[in-house]
Amino acid sequence: MSRTPRGPKRSPTPTSSTFSSDMPPPPVPSSPVTPGIPKPLYLCSPFVEAALVKGNFKTIVVLPKYVDIMEWVAVNVFDFYTNLNEFYGVISECCTQQSCPTMSAGQNLNYTWINQDRKSVHLAAPTYIDYVMTWIQNLLDDENVFPTKSGHDFPQSFPSTVKHVYRQLLRVFAHIYHAHYPQILHLRSEPHFNSLFAHFLAFGREYELLDIKDVKGAANSPVGAGMLWERWREMGILEG
């Protein structure tokens, strides 16, 4: 089967002057998830139900007939990266060294970066996300990792590489939900962002790219956005 070349790898990251960084967020509901902790907006109605796609995401992640599974995974990872990068570009003015001094994704969860000395270090969220997106972009541009030419095979390490990419993209999603969902709401983009994340989760589980422990986090440091996994399963959007 001849492989159709993919389009340009990346669009320039968009910027926006739609809102200022000191924009007041929408009011936080008082109903708690646990005592003393306000319920996140993304778990509140009507935001948790907001979506562009109605029904179960299983139908849109199934491998199409006659399509190579490696190519299917590669194309979808490219699309997830591109769309998430564009979303982050729009709200990046609100993600600064001052507002996000750590890569937070929950009340007690801050992701760390493994540096060149193989040590875990805390980074401000914009720095962490820049490292992630640059690393993924370099992989996408590497013909030996993401081949685009007919006759070039995917390396044996491709499944492992994609799992690492997926884990890092999940962390970017988690930070945006935790720290910047008010900006998503201000732009009235919650249906788009929710559908992108639900598609990402469904695809990751279908092709074993996501560990459920990464989605939910530990009992003492849960991933905030991981609660959407259970909520959307209850709504029939995702499967277990």
Side-chain angles (χ1 to χ4, degrees), residues 110-123 171:
N110 295 293
Y111 294 121
T112 57
W113 184 261
I114 305 298
N115 65 13
Q116 294 179 342
D117 297 325
R118 306 304 300 169
K119 294 182 179 179
S120 296
V121 294
H122 286 279
L123 298 175
R171 292 181 174 192

Side-chain angles (χ1 to χ4, degrees), residues 44-89:
C44 298
S45 184
F47 310 127
V48 71
E49 296 94 1
L52 296 179
V53 179
K54 302 299 181 182
N56 194 290
F57 274 77
K58 175 79 172 182
T59 56
I60 63 175
V61 301
V62 173
L63 180 68
K65 195 174 182 179
Y66 306 123
V67 174
D68 177 73
I69 188 171
M70 295 291 195
E71 182 68 18
W72 179 239
V73 169
V75 168
N76 277 272
V77 167
F78 167 76
D79 286 342
F80 290 135
Y81 163 78
T82 300
N83 285 302
L84 181 58
N85 187 54
E86 290 179 351
F87 265 109
Y88 180 70

Side-chain angles (χ1 to χ4, degrees), residues 12 18 96 112 133 145 161 165 175 195 200:
T18 308
T96 66
T112 57
M133 294 308 194
V145 181
T161 299
V165 168
H175 176 72
S195 291
F200 174 85

Side-chain angles (χ1 to χ4, degrees), residues 23-42:
M23 180 196 73
V28 178
S30 58
S31 54
V33 176
T34 56
I37 300 177
K39 188 176 182 180
L41 284 172
Y42 51 79

Side-chain angles (χ1 to χ4, degrees), residues 32-197:
V33 176
T34 56
I37 300 177
K39 188 176 182 180
L41 284 172
Y42 51 79
L43 290 176
C44 298
S45 184
F47 310 127
V48 71
E49 296 94 1
L52 296 179
V53 179
K54 302 299 181 182
N56 194 290
F57 274 77
K58 175 79 172 182
T59 56
I60 63 175
V61 301
V62 173
L63 180 68
K65 195 174 182 179
Y66 306 123
V67 174
D68 177 73
I69 188 171
M70 295 291 195
E71 182 68 18
W72 179 239
V73 169
V75 168
N76 277 272
V77 167
F78 167 76
D79 286 342
F80 290 135
Y81 163 78
T82 300
N83 285 302
L84 181 58
N85 187 54
E86 290 179 351
F87 265 109
Y88 180 70
V90 173
I91 59 94
S92 61
E93 295 174 359
C94 299
C95 186
T96 66
Q97 303 281 334
Q98 291 72 37
S99 66
C100 303
T102 62
M103 185 63 177
S104 56
Q107 291 292 335
N108 301 308
L109 177 60
N110 295 293
Y111 294 121
T112 57
W113 184 261
I114 305 298
N115 65 13
Q116 294 179 342
D117 297 325
R118 306 304 300 169
K119 294 182 179 179
S120 296
V121 294
H122 286 279
L123 298 175
T127 302
Y128 188 107
I129 294 174
D130 180 62
Y131 284 5
V132 167
M133 294 308 194
T134 300
W135 171 66
I136 296 176
Q137 182 64 61
N138 289 337
L139 289 175
L140 291 171
D141 290 339
D142 189 341
E143 189 70 19
N144 294 318
V145 181
F146 280 81
T148 59
K149 298 176 181 177
S150 179
H152 288 201
D153 295 328
F154 286 89
Q156 291 184 346
S157 60
F158 183 73
S160 176
T161 299
V162 170
K163 285 183 180 180
H164 285 299
V165 168
Y166 230 82
R167 184 181 299 115
Q168 292 298 337
L169 289 177
L170 173 63
R171 292 181 174 192
V172 178
F173 271 112
H175 176 72
I176 293 176
Y177 269 108
H178 175 69
H180 302 294
Y181 201 66
Q183 284 78 45
I184 297 293
L185 294 180
H186 180 76
L187 295 170
R188 297 182 179 179
S189 296
E190 66 275 14
H192 302 73
F193 197 65
N194 284 354
S195 291
L196 175 62
F197 188 46

